[in-house]
Amino acid sequence: MPSRRSALTLLAGAGAALALGTPTAHARPAHPRPFGRHGSPSRRLNALTLYVDPHGRGDFTDVRSALDAATGTGRTLVIAPGTYRGKLSVPADRTGLTLIGASGDPRDTVLVHGDAAGTPKPDGSGTLGTSGSASVTVQAADFTACDVTFANDWLRSDNPEYTGTQAVAIKVQGDRSAFLGCRFLGHQDTLYADSLALTAFARQYYRDCYVEGDVDFVFGRATAVFDRCHFRTLTRTDLASAPYGFVLAPSTAGANPHGYLVLRSRVTSTAPDGYYKLARPWVPSSDLTAHPMLTVRDSHLGAGIDAAAPYGTMSAGFPWQDQRFAEYRNTGPGARVTVPGNRPQLSAAEARAHTPAGHLGDWRPSA
C-alpha cells in the first residue's frame, strides 16, 4: 500500500510536489480553464467570489492568502486543481464561507499539512496536541465545502518516537457546516466533528463524502449526519493483531439529544476481516458528563468490521453499553447479529426519530 505522501502525489497528478515546509505545492500542469464553470477573475460569479490558482491566473496563488482576504460574510473561494500545503484556519468571523474545488473532483484540489499531536511547538513550549495538529480548523458558522480533499499526511512510520500520534485533517466546530462530495484523508483522528463549547450543539452535514483512517478517525461532540458516505479502514504494519482501530468515537454532550447519525453509507477496509470495531465512546476528561450517541442505519458494513463485537470501550468507567449506541437495518458481513447483546437495534418506531431532519432541526443543508 502506498504511503500517505505517495498516495497524495498520485491523487494530485504527476506534477504535484508535496515537499514539507512549502506553504503551497505546485499543482499539475496548467489547465486552460482552471476554474471550470465557476467563472474567473474577469468573469466573477459575484463580487464576493475570490479565485485561487497556483499558476497565477487567480486572485491568489495559495489558499491561506485568499482566506486572509475573505473577510466578512458570504465569501466564496473557487480553488483550481492543485495540492496546497500549509495549515489553514477559518475563524468565527468568516461566516457563510464556501470553498469549491473547481474541477468537481475532490481528488484534484487537496488541502494538506503534516503535524501530529506530538509535534513540538515552534516556541519549544510543548507539543501541539490533537487540536493543534489539524491541517484545517473551521470555527465559522454556515461553512460549506464542495469537492475538496482535506488531508493530514503525517505518518507514524516516519516518527516512531512520537507518543502523540493523533493527526487531524480537519477540525470542524461551527454550526450549520456542510461538506458535499469531499474527501478526508489521515490515519488517527482524521475528521474532528466537534463544536465550539460544551453547550454549543453544532450541527454538521456530510453527504457523498469519503473518510479514511484507523484509530477513532471520525470523532467529537458535534451533532453530525453522514449521508451516503464511504468510510475506509486502513491496514496497519505496526500492529500484529486486532483490533487495528475504530471508525467512530462520538463524545456527545449529555444534554445534547442528537449525536452522530450514519445512514445510507458503507464501511470498507484494506485490513483483514474483523480487524476493526465500528465505534467506541469518547468521554473526554474535559466533560465527564458526556453521553456519546451514535446511530448507524440502512448502511452496508463490510467484512472489516468485527460482527461479533463491533463496539469497544475507551475508558473503563464509561463502557459502551451505557452510551446511546444503536443500529437499524444494516447489511453486509460486518452487520451480522451473531451476539444480540453486542448489537442494540432500534425498533421501526424508534428509527423514525433518527433522521437527518430529526438531527438537524430547522436547518436544511442545500443540495
Side-chain angles (χ1 to χ4, degrees):
M1 182 179 179
S3 72
R4 171 72 53 223
R5 292 196 184 95
S6 63
L8 281 170
T9 302
L10 292 171
L11 274 177
L18 287 167
L20 288 169
T22 56
T24 304
H26 293 296
R28 60 179 62 189
H31 189 279
R33 296 184 64 234
F35 306 112
R37 61 184 179 85
H38 302 287
S40 68
S42 62
R43 298 182 296 109
R44 280 181 208 280
L45 297 181
N46 55 57
L48 296 177
T49 301
L50 298 173
Y51 294 88
V52 183
D53 173 45
H55 298 284
R57 294 165 298 173
D59 300 300
F60 302 92
T61 58
D62 66 280
V63 177
R64 184 182 299 165
S65 298
L67 284 173
D68 289 344
T71 57
T73 300
R75 290 282 196 166
T76 296
L77 303 187
V78 179
I79 308 172
T83 300
Y84 300 85
R85 177 167 292 279
K87 294 175 81 75
L88 301 173
S89 178
V90 181
D93 62 358
R94 303 299 203 270
T95 56
L97 180 71
T98 298
L99 304 186
I100 298 175
S103 76
D105 186 337
R107 293 173 296 181
D108 291 337
T109 302
V110 181
L111 309 183
V112 59
H113 201 62
D115 282 335
T119 300
K121 292 181 179 178
D123 63 5
S125 62
T127 56
L128 292 176
T130 300
S131 293
S133 74
S135 299
V136 178
T137 301
V138 177
Q139 296 184 320
D142 298 300
F143 176 86
T144 301
C146 304
D147 304 320
V148 175
T149 291
F150 301 89
N152 189 316
D153 64 357
W154 185 89
L155 294 172
R156 295 186 189 94
S157 57
D158 291 347
N159 302 276
E161 75 282 7
Y162 277 43
T163 55
T165 56
Q166 300 87 347
V168 177
I170 186 170
K171 180 176 183 178
V172 187
Q173 297 177 281
D175 189 26
R176 301 182 301 273
S177 299
F179 294 83
L180 310 175
C182 290
R183 290 164 62 86
F184 306 90
L185 308 182
H187 287 276
Q188 183 172 354
D189 291 7
T190 303
L191 171 55
Y192 196 169
D194 205 49
S195 70
L196 286 169
L198 293 177
T199 55
F201 302 157
R203 293 163 293 177
Q204 300 171 15
Y205 180 66
Y206 301 81
R207 194 193 71 206
D208 298 318
C209 290
Y210 172 89
V211 196
E212 69 175 35
D214 48 41
V215 179
D216 305 330
F217 62 93
V218 179
F219 74 113
R221 64 171 174 250
T223 293
V225 174
F226 300 90
D227 190 358
R228 303 200 307 252
C229 291
H230 179 187
F231 303 88
R232 182 78 160 169
T233 63
L234 302 177
T235 195
R236 295 182 63 173
T237 59
D238 59 317
L239 294 179
S241 61
Y244 278 173
F246 306 80
V247 179
L248 302 124
S251 59
T252 321
N256 190 349
H258 304 294
Y260 285 1
L261 171 64
V262 176
L263 76 158
R264 298 179 291 202
S265 296
R266 59 191 173 116
V267 180
T268 64
S269 185
T270 65
D273 291 356
Y275 266 53
Y276 271 88
K277 306 290 188 182
L278 184 59
R280 63 177 176 176
W282 176 33
V283 178
S285 59
S286 59
D287 180 21
L288 296 179
T289 66
H291 193 193
M293 181 181 185
L294 167 68
T295 300
V296 180
R297 60 171 300 172
D298 301 296
S299 295
H300 187 273
L301 309 182
I305 297 299
D306 179 355
Y311 302 110
T313 293
M314 188 180 300
S315 303
F318 304 96
W320 74 264
Q321 293 89 343
D322 292 346
Q323 313 310 322
R324 295 176 285 178
F325 281 16
E327 299 178 53
Y328 181 67
R329 292 197 315 194
N330 293 320
T331 60
R336 287 183 294 108
V337 182
T338 59
V339 183
N342 287 345
R343 305 207 77 139
Q345 303 290 315
L346 297 174
S347 68
E350 291 170 332
R352 285 194 284 272
H354 295 255
T355 64
H359 272 59
L360 302 177
D362 60 0
W363 176 48
R364 296 292 183 269
S366 59

